[in-house]
Amino acid sequence: MNPAGGGRRACVIGWPVAHSRSPMIHTYWLAHYGIDGSYDRAAVAPEAFEAFVRGLAAQGYIGGNVTLPHKERAFELCASVTETASRLGAANTLWLEDGHLHGDNTDGAGFLGALDQDACGWDARKNVAVVLGAGGAARAIVDALLARGMNRIVVSNRTRARAEEIAARAGGPVEVADWDARSRLLAGADLLVNTTSLGMVGQPPLDIDLTALPPTATVSDIVYVPLETELLRRARERGLRGVSGVGMLLHQAVPGFRRWFGTTPVVTPELRRLVEADITSSH
Ligand code: ATR
């Protein structure tokens, strides 16, 4: 390793940002791979965001992650974006190259990376996925599932118009269903994904009857507080495979680390335990 101070610097930019686990994840990988670099937390209010991003290089940063509420503004400030970020209209990973700001959106890749690691072979059946919710996470997940070749995706959201917007923008076999129909939609589904905040600590439970899900189905929840949601517990009780939101949190960090520090990092069991322990201790 080089002496302190010589390394590359990245950061996570958010408002608020204190809750972000990105520093823990990237700092773990920097130590794990013996890379001289650092990863900070930057609390930046919306009105200060543009100036902060334009000053990244001057502050010694080579890039960073962007979290709420800045993902759309980050996308607009990029000189160049990946096709994924372009389709989603939002960026969560920024890097400087040739003096210009580049952006990617790794939420969908993180979602798939988690399924691949935690429910290996889940995509042997790709006929129908049911996605609950229609926020930014749902948009990225629908996009990723289409890229993976899912034959049919049904989006069900309390506010139906938001689901319709996702379907209209997706440019693939995406349908919309009423929120009240969510339990019935599960007949024949290969994958159920909860992208709503329901089931999170402090939020109402996700009221859904899993009876109709086939025994081969996989259930994924992007909620990670608690680590095992009621949805995942009930899926496990039925013998279904469940994937927790921690996996997506960990895997969405992989492409950024590769861009900034030149190594493709592995989501190790040790890293997962570290982050899970932090989540448990802070809630
Ligand atoms: P994100 O961008 O992180 O996905 P979001 O845009 O706030 O977050 O989306 C949260 C999702 O949870 C939405 O689909 C929201 O439904 P609406 O679009 O109708 O707001 C859903 N959600 C939150 N609280 C809910 C509740 N009590 N019942 C049903 N859905 C709920």
Side-chain angles (χ1 to χ4, degrees):
M1 293 225 310
N2 297 331
R8 299 175 173 193
R9 294 177 62 212
C11 61
V12 54
I13 313 163
W15 188 257
V17 79
H19 64 284
S20 172
R21 264 92 191 181
S22 291
M24 173 176 262
I25 296 168
H26 291 284
T27 302
Y28 168 86
W29 281 329
L30 287 168
H32 186 77
Y33 294 105
I35 295 170
D36 177 23
S38 66
Y39 188 100
D40 314 323
R41 229 180 265 277
V44 180
E47 58 274 19
F49 182 71
E50 179 169 348
F52 186 89
V53 167
R54 295 205 188 280
L56 274 178
Q59 296 170 80
Y61 289 117
I62 54 167
N65 283 121
V66 178
T67 186
L68 297 178
H70 300 313
K71 293 184 186 183
E72 283 83 11
R73 189 71 191 117
F75 170 80
E76 291 165 1
L77 292 173
C78 286
S80 154
V81 292
T82 60
E83 282 181 20
T84 307
S86 173
R87 284 196 301 274
L88 299 174
N92 73 341
T93 303
L94 305 177
W95 67 99
L96 290 163
E97 205 176 300
D98 304 327
H100 295 294
L101 189 67
H102 297 255
D104 189 11
N105 190 313
T106 69
D107 286 335
F111 171 77
L112 292 180
L115 279 176
D116 290 342
Q117 187 173 54
D118 301 343
C120 182
W122 68 274
D123 56 350
R125 293 166 195 269
K126 287 186 292 198
N127 281 327
V128 186
V130 173
V131 175
L132 305 178
R139 183 168 296 201
I141 286 168
V142 165
D143 184 71
L145 287 174
L146 287 174
R148 188 55 80 89
M150 188 59 74
N151 288 325
R152 190 170 152 239
I153 301 173
V154 185
V155 181
S156 170
N157 190 49
R158 176 180 61 179
T159 309
R160 189 183 163 105
R162 294 185 84 194
E164 279 166 356
E165 199 190 321
I166 287 188
R169 283 186 55 150
V174 181
E175 297 162 27
V176 173
D178 283 339
W179 181 242
D180 289 345
R182 61 194 179 281
S183 297
R184 292 195 299 280
L185 301 173
L186 302 184
D190 301 307
L191 177 68
L192 167 65
V193 189
N194 174 44
T195 78
T196 74
S197 48
L198 296 172
M200 192 187 291
V201 164
Q203 299 293 319
L206 171 59
D207 180 17
I208 189 166
D209 181 354
L210 301 183
T211 309
L213 269 180
T216 49
T218 301
V219 177
S220 166
D221 199 335
I222 73 162
V223 171
Y224 55 83
V225 186
L227 289 171
E228 185 180 62
T229 57
E230 182 69 11
L231 172 68
L232 292 181
R233 190 187 62 73
R234 285 195 285 128
R236 182 167 50 80
E237 272 178 8
R238 272 214 42 205
L240 306 174
R241 293 201 293 183
V243 178
S244 94
V246 176
M248 180 169 169
L249 175 71
L250 296 167
H251 284 271
Q252 60 78 31
V254 169
F257 191 89
R258 182 170 57 228
R259 299 256 187 210
W260 308 315
F261 303 113
T263 295
T264 302
V266 172
V267 174
T268 61
E270 184 188 34
L271 171 60
R272 179 182 289 255
R273 278 196 297 275
L274 205 66
V275 171
E276 288 185 347
D278 185 62
I279 291 167
T280 305
S281 72
S282 51
H283 293 279

